[in-house]
Amino acid sequence: MSEAPPHPRDPWLACLGITAVFAALAWVRLTIPSGPMFDEIHYLPAARAILEDGIYLNREHPLLGKQLIALGITLFGDNALGWRIMPMIAGALALFAAMRAMWQASFDRFATIAFGVLVASGFHLFIHARIAMLDVFMAAFLCIAAWQFAGAIREAERGRVRLAACGIALGLAMASKWNAVPIAVLPGIAFFAARLSAGRQRLLTSTRGIPVPGISLAEAFLWLGIVPLAAYAATYLPAYGLLNSPLAEQGLIGLHREMIELQASVKQPHPYQSTWDQWALNTRGIWYLYEFTDNAQRGVLLIGNPLTMLLGLPALAWCALSGATTRNWAKIAVVAGYAASLGLWLIANKPIQFYYHYFMPSLFLLSALALTLGDLSRSKFRWASYGVLLGSAAMFALFFKILTAAELDGPMSFVHWTWIEGWR
């Protein structure tokens, strides 16, 4: 009798440990600066208006992220802790959910742990877990959606519940920031393509075959199409009570017309604006903070990890090639996610774009790198996979002071970290 193939051990404890370390590091100087920095000047007034039933502010973005910031203010006060506690929680949740999604999609223990290390030390998630902006909420809900969708495929007996959870999370991601939209449609497209490839005669009603046996295409449309839209719409209910709200007169559709117009109206050049190719090559950053504040010179620089942002590009190519030749759906999924999330900015009617728009593409990029390192760990180049992880952590440690608004030596301290002109 032949032995059963080995079953990889779920690294859930390692996922918890990495998340705990990430949260502890994100807590360091969380309340510094004690005043608003960068785009907090837009979102904090909008959050306060929600609490006070005031004027509907910051209409160009959906409401949920500002509601969550308002929740933090309610719980901890209108201060730096209240502003940033919910982003920090969302950042930790995003990291844990991302690792669980990687595990469910790949069943690769090394890649799952590597992904956690790469994302935790990749700068994007860490910085946005420490600032009251909307991006981290979007990322958290998208990671939860990916976890639940991959879990539905892996554990079909719980497929219905997981698809429902996926749909709700997709709706909440779009309700945090519209950048989620091109990613939010991918689970539905993937389900349709998989079921179509199965060649069933009753395409809409058959419950047999991949990706989730027991779920028909018609039912999947409910969970991945209708439920996300319903969850998205529900987040706008509190806005009916705000002063000067277009919801009362124009309804949800009228509000969205105005939101689209506002998104396209920002055309004034900005010193920190950048383009997608600069994002991919990590050649243009943004100083979220650089000033004398809280009794010291301090700075917060948003760039990607200088090592892994570049190594991720050949890893993405490897995943595209090996995923297509071996029908590795996890690799195909991360390539599709990167293309969709970055492709949005090639066609979006938003003339002024910034490096933080690379947040979600960077997560897919690091997914590709983690899967590639998983392959390396099973080859004679195993040492290289550990070397990349150590290098990523070393870069994080090197830049830690300007990721966490630490006290700097003086006004010219930025030269220690701005290795290229585009980071200045």
Side-chain angles (χ1 to χ4, degrees), residues 125-366:
L125 181 62
F126 187 79
I127 287 177
H128 286 103
R130 296 169 43 81
I131 185 171
M133 291 173 61
L134 310 180
D135 305 72
V136 73
F137 302 118
M138 171 192 66
F141 289 120
L142 283 175
C143 290
I144 292 171
W147 173 16
Q148 295 307 308
F149 186 68
I153 296 172
R154 185 69 66 177
E155 303 170 356
E157 65 276 9
R158 300 180 61 194
R160 181 168 288 109
V161 173
R162 285 189 177 271
L163 287 180
C166 174
I168 294 171
L170 291 175
L172 298 182
M174 293 186 292
S176 299
K177 203 167 187 181
W178 281 358
N179 302 21
V181 172
I183 305 171
V185 302
L186 292 181
I189 293 174
F191 197 105
F192 174 77
R195 190 55 58 86
L196 185 65
S197 69
R200 299 295 174 192
Q201 292 183 347
R202 296 179 293 110
L203 179 63
L204 291 178
T205 58
S206 174
T207 60
R208 298 175 60 190
I210 59 173
V212 185
I215 304 293
S216 69
L217 185 59
E219 183 181 352
F221 177 72
L222 168 65
W223 301 127
L224 302 177
I226 303 300
V227 167
L229 292 177
Y232 173 83
T235 64
Y236 284 90
L237 292 176
Y240 283 92
L242 295 176
L243 298 177
N244 199 29
S245 172
L247 280 167
E249 297 182 1
Q250 305 176 45
L252 198 57
I253 294 177
L255 170 63
H256 279 70
R257 290 196 191 100
E258 181 177 340
M259 292 171 69
I260 292 171
E261 292 173 358
L262 288 171
Q263 287 280 347
S265 66
V266 180
K267 298 180 180 180
Q268 181 69 31
H270 192 284
Y272 281 137
Q273 71 184 70
S274 52
T275 56
W276 68 269
D277 54 315
Q278 292 175 313
W279 309 343
L281 296 175
N282 199 22
T283 59
R284 188 74 178 107
I286 302 176
W287 284 96
Y288 280 5
L289 174 76
Y290 199 80
E291 62 185 67
F292 190 90
T293 181
D294 296 279
N295 302 313
Q297 183 72 37
R298 302 179 187 275
V300 175
L301 174 63
L302 176 66
I303 55 172
N305 186 302
L307 176 68
T308 57
M309 286 297 101
L310 296 181
L311 289 180
L313 296 174
L316 196 69
W318 167 251
C319 284
L321 177 61
S322 62
T325 55
T326 63
R327 295 176 68 87
N328 184 312
W329 299 113
K331 291 180 178 178
I332 293 172
V334 301
V335 173
Y338 183 84
S341 55
L342 182 60
L344 164 69
W345 300 106
L346 276 64
I347 62 174
N349 185 24
K350 192 175 178 68
I352 308 301
Q353 300 176 5
F354 300 94
Y355 184 56
Y356 55 74
H357 293 143
Y358 197 60
F359 187 1
M360 287 311 303
S362 77
L363 293 185
F364 286 110
L365 188 79
L366 295 178

